[in-house]
Amino acid sequence: MRLRIMAMLGALVMLLGACENLTTQQRTVAGAAGGAAAGLIAADILEADDDWRLISGLAGAAAGTVVAQNQDTGMCAYARGDGTYYRAPCP
């Protein structure tokens, strides 16, 4: 199982290099697919039941979409510590 996970992560790292010259829409789709895959891999590692696999896949897709869109705008969200956030350029 550990070898399978390492192989998936290695393939994911190689695919990230191909995302350099994508359009905004393509980057969003790739972020959603990558996030969903990461969520499913995490659920597989934790040996979750089918309900949690679905939830982790959806949550991963949502997170991947947000990350892809933030990379497109160059803005990041930062926590203030009191439960609120502010947006500023990414480092």
Side-chain angles (χ1 to χ4, degrees):
M1 172 133 149
R2 188 173 195 92
L3 180 62
R4 187 175 116 193
I5 292 169
M6 293 304 287
M8 284 184 205
L9 289 176
L12 183 63
V13 167
M14 288 189 292
L15 288 174
L16 287 177
C19 295
E20 186 175 333
N21 56 356
L22 295 177
T23 65
T24 302
Q25 190 174 29
Q26 291 170 332
R27 186 174 290 126
T28 301
V29 170
L40 290 174
I41 289 171
D44 189 40
I45 290 171
L46 297 172
E47 299 176 358
D49 65 359
D50 290 341
D51 292 337
W52 282 107
R53 288 176 194 266
L54 176 65
I55 291 169
S56 66
L58 291 173
T65 301
V66 169
V67 168
Q69 290 175 348
N70 281 345
Q71 286 180 349
D72 188 48
T73 62
M75 299 294 284
C76 291
Y78 298 97
R80 288 195 174 106
D82 61 357
T84 62
Y85 294 88
Y86 68 94
R87 290 175 43 119
C90 295

